[in-house]
Amino acid sequence: MSESFDFNKPAIPLMEPEEFQRRIIGAMTQHLTRQPSPALLVAPTGAGKTFMLSQVLAKVCSERPTLWFWFTPYANLVGQTVLALDWIKELRLYAMSTERQRDHSNGDVLIANAQQVSSKSADRQVLKQVDDFSISVQGIVARARANKLKIGVVVDEAHIGLSSETEFGKFVKRLKPDSLVMATATPNDIKLNQFLAASGFGENKTFSVSRQEAVDALLNKEFIAAYVYRVSDEWKSLVDLQRTVLRQAWKKHCALKNLLVERGIQTVPLLLVQVGNGENTTREAFEFLTRECGVRPELIGEHTAQAPDPELMNTIAHDTSKEVLIFKEAAGTGFDAPRAFVLASTKPVTDKDYALQFVGRVMRVDQRVREITRTLEKQGKRLSDDLRTAYIYLANAAAQDGYQKAVTVLQGIKSSLEGETERLKRIKTRNGGPDIFTNRPTPQSSMLPEVDWDTTHGSNAETVADSTVDNAEGQSVSSNEVHPSVKIEAQAGRTTFVEEGQGLLFDGDIQPDWDNEETYVPPRLLKIPAKNRDDLRAAFNEIRLSLYPRNDGLPHFAPHLLTELRPSVVDLAKVVKRIAQRLEYSVADLNNALAAATGHTQAIEQRTELVTRQRAPDTKIVALIRREELHRQAKLVLLSTAQFEDADVRQFVQILTSRIQVDAESNGIAVMIDESERDRIYRDMAHDLVRMKADDVVALYHDAISQVVTSRETKSPLPDYMAFPSDLPLLPSAKNSYGVLPPRRNEDMPQVESFLVKEERQFLKHRQYHLRDESTIWVDGYNGTHAMYESENEFAKQLDEAEFVLWWHRNPDRADYGVAVVRPDSHLNFWPDFILCVQYYSEAEPIIRLADTKHDLKDAFKKSRREHKDYKKIIFLTKDNDNLYIVNDNGTKGVKVNSDLSVLRETLRRTDN
């Protein structure tokens, strides 16, 4: 995109530098005209970095004719830089992409976004010579040197502009600048060190300004207060913190406006509102401020474009007819707003570099406030701390971390107005990975020449710990442990170990096509029907599948099990009515529901002074409720938790609303509600009661479902055989329904595809075989739902040893022969892991019970609310520190299960009712 600068702007009034700025300007000028090492200016946002740099450039040009290249991290900061430099008569500004001249003069400044020269995008092409009328950057440099001009490079906002630090560094290195000047708000920045190394510099001289110096000069506000909000758990998802933050920020803005008037300060404060980058975010904030906060529309300025427009932002920021500026996240940099006291952020900002930019928008001090402050100081008085504070209102409490880190960084800048030399130290990794560069301060300048890191191997460089690579087995191996006879080849983004003299087994992405019909001969089983069971087993053995027969000889074995069926639609309509009529609530519940229905509840406002980290006493405020979220959550309870349909939801809310109306009138609540709003409010109160009484709704629903759930025999009996690859033999089990322990999930199952090709794996599916002897055989293969984790495998071995267990069966999910339990809280059924036939003592009647092992106690709690229609209560167990525990009905870890499972036996017996 074409880029040029409009210089027909009103002149910015001449600024007199503060004392610390004067010293910085003098010291940096002296260094740059006498030393080859780069100069780094470290100063907090608002301390006048751009102003100081511009003065340094002008003074260097007066002593040593120089052509300057100025780089900013973002495109929108180019415009801000132009506005800041435009009034300096010693400097002339050109857009690097479109306004390059064949012959530049002393004091010319070419400005560009650093990304244009550090990336491989099309933007970089604008820096090359594309026709006979243009000239490349390298051509400009060559002609400038021929004209006896020095070359200078400025990297502004270096703490956020060096995401491509090495690419940009290489570009700067090719320029071979005589002077390199950098500015940052972050000391000891790793990216900056990498950039310097890539640029060919071994050291730099740092000039630092502390935040306190900026505060003393009245360039920064003294305090920075962050506000976050805390609401109780039951209200957390309903409270609209974004709108609440906007309202609270506007209140603070109005209070500050009144205070400025009282103090006779003719400053119109500005409220900055940062919203996300969505399509309608600025409009939504505008509508809330005008409709709910009473802000007159003409007081609000908006930046609605996705792409930042710094000129528009600066225009609004300085237009005193505007008291609110709404901007999107992407436009949060590149403009100054000294009259801004309050920032309302509706989007979390956890990155300290971004937070530095945003806090910088409210940290500056308006000129009129500075003048009044100085007048008061001469009289021995002090301006109110309320006007010496920047206020940040955050809709997301997590964002405070980013702002706290940013302020901590600013506070950590120590003053060094005369400069301090920092040498780069190279830390080299043994495995050939990217080198790391750090800096250490020294009191004097180095006499060493510049270091070309690209040609220096650094045999005496400090070495960090080895990194690791993955070997062919996927194991992490130190790069130092690889045998000399083994070389490392990179293929498809990973590292592979190959013996010397051996190539990779397959080149590139070429792999053998195991499923190609031309390379695979189908087994006999596909062509020849089996005569009997022996013939069937032989056919399966031919394709390397072992058949494990059902163990019908187990005592009281039952191949036909009982599973549950979900109720019909007609039955559900009765359930809905029953729950709505039986849901209990108190007068206090009605009052809470009324608060939600009227859109207000209580929240705690927490203020933290980020500079001193002191917390002010908490304040109670009224937070706003999102009615649409109230409706959504109530509907979610009924649709998800209780599995209602839309028609059921409407019926339930209608019945509950009628009950609330009667109770509100009898308890005097109705008189507090506007008559025209009562129908809506009663309905919203019903939604809130459903949300708050979700557990009671679920309990009532479970109780009602248990009355209508039916059971029947499974669609098919337990298979006659279970199949599994012969190359993965299963361990024997004395009491398992098939005489073996099912395959291990993490050890056996991943290997199945290694031993069986696609055609063979189809015989692991549940299917019926009609033999020539007219018998019918069911065969299924062990799959992931049969497979067991190690903890389940250990439990299965304990079942084999337990005297009260007659037999056990691994219950697979969704199988025709699986035992299902109807889940009222889900459309999906639940298949307990284990079916147990137990006999508590010798005279007791054998009975089938269900058990399930769970890592997630919350899931166990949900599933434990219903008993199986025939097999009674399901017992849940959980593993913790190699011990097995019973899960209590409330979802907590219960009593420890001993090795003989007698605790499990007693739990089963106690719940057998």
Side-chain angles (χ1 to χ4, degrees), residues 233-263:
D233 290 340
E234 64 266 24
W235 296 103
K236 189 174 294 183
S237 59
L238 285 184
V239 169
D240 190 336
L241 285 179
Q242 294 186 358
R243 292 194 302 159
T244 300
V245 158
L246 288 181
R247 187 193 60 191
Q248 294 299 109
W250 174 249
K251 285 183 177 181
K252 176 60 71 175
H253 168 86
C254 292
L256 293 171
K257 181 180 178 181
N258 293 334
L259 187 57
L260 287 166
V261 172
E262 290 176 7
R263 298 295 189 271

Side-chain angles (χ1 to χ4, degrees), residues 659-855:
R659 289 182 56 196
I660 290 172
Q661 180 178 356
V662 173
D663 292 334
E665 290 175 355
S666 63
N667 287 290
I669 295 176
V671 298
M672 296 185 288
I673 306 172
D674 187 282
E675 190 170 349
S676 63
E677 291 284 306
R678 286 181 184 176
D679 289 343
R680 179 191 65 79
I681 288 178
Y682 289 149
R683 190 165 56 252
D684 286 352
M685 289 173 67
H687 287 134
D688 187 63
L689 283 176
V690 170
R691 184 185 69 88
M692 296 300 298
K693 297 283 185 178
D695 289 343
D696 293 342
V697 172
V698 171
L700 288 170
Y701 183 66
H702 285 197
D703 179 63
I705 285 293
S706 65
Q707 306 298 320
V708 293
V709 165
T710 58
S711 68
R712 64 163 173 80
E713 283 191 349
T714 54
K715 187 175 181 180
S716 63
L718 297 182
D720 297 277
Y721 294 97
M722 294 297 296
F724 203 62
S726 303
D727 295 303
L728 296 170
L730 301 178
L731 297 176
S733 167
K735 296 181 180 180
N736 177 261
S737 50
Y738 291 91
V740 291
L741 293 173
R744 297 166 297 174
R745 185 178 299 273
N746 295 327
E747 290 81 3
D748 298 327
M749 295 308 300
Q751 300 186 64
V752 171
E753 291 190 12
S754 301
F755 290 107
L756 301 177
V757 296
K758 182 178 179 180
E759 286 78 4
E760 293 169 338
R761 293 198 300 272
Q762 68 178 300
F763 294 101
L764 291 177
K765 297 177 181 178
H766 187 219
R767 62 175 63 189
Q768 191 178 41
Y769 295 89
H770 298 280
L771 306 183
R772 286 185 176 179
D773 62 6
E774 298 185 355
S775 62
T776 299
I777 300 296
W778 283 96
V779 178
D780 196 8
Y782 282 114
N783 57 41
T785 65
H786 300 88
M788 299 194 298
Y789 290 106
E790 185 58 33
S791 59
E792 295 172 317
N793 198 54
E794 294 174 7
F795 177 59
K797 292 177 182 179
Q798 289 179 292
L799 292 175
D800 278 343
E801 299 295 328
E803 293 184 1
F804 69 95
V805 177
L806 301 181
W807 56 268
W808 63 272
H809 172 70
R810 177 66 166 179
N811 188 38
D813 289 1
R814 300 177 181 82
D816 289 342
Y817 54 88
V819 173
V821 178
V822 171
R823 287 187 62 176
D825 61 330
S826 172
H827 287 296
L828 302 175
N829 290 334
F830 159 50
W831 284 265
D833 292 335
F834 292 92
I835 299 172
L836 313 177
C837 181
V838 296
Q839 188 176 28
Y840 305 128
Y841 47 89
S842 57
E843 291 80 12
E845 187 71 21
I847 188 172
I848 292 179
R849 296 295 302 274
L850 306 175
D852 194 87
T853 53
K854 283 291 176 194
H855 174 71

Side-chain angles (χ1 to χ4, degrees), residues 375-434:
T375 300
L376 290 173
E377 288 177 347
K378 290 176 182 178
Q379 299 172 358
K381 300 178 182 178
R382 176 180 171 88
L383 184 67
S384 168
D385 284 349
D386 289 343
L387 297 177
R388 302 169 71 95
T389 302
Y391 302 89
I392 304 172
Y393 286 80
L394 304 172
N396 188 307
Q400 183 174 330
D401 292 343
Y403 285 96
Q404 181 65 74
K405 291 175 185 175
V407 173
T408 301
V409 166
L410 295 177
Q411 291 297 108
I413 300 175
K414 305 299 183 184
S415 180
S416 179
L417 303 182
E418 306 304 326
E420 182 178 52
T421 299
E422 295 182 352
R423 294 176 185 168
L424 279 186
K425 181 180 181 182
R426 183 178 193 169
I427 299 178
K428 188 174 179 61
T429 56
R430 288 179 181 169
N431 69 323

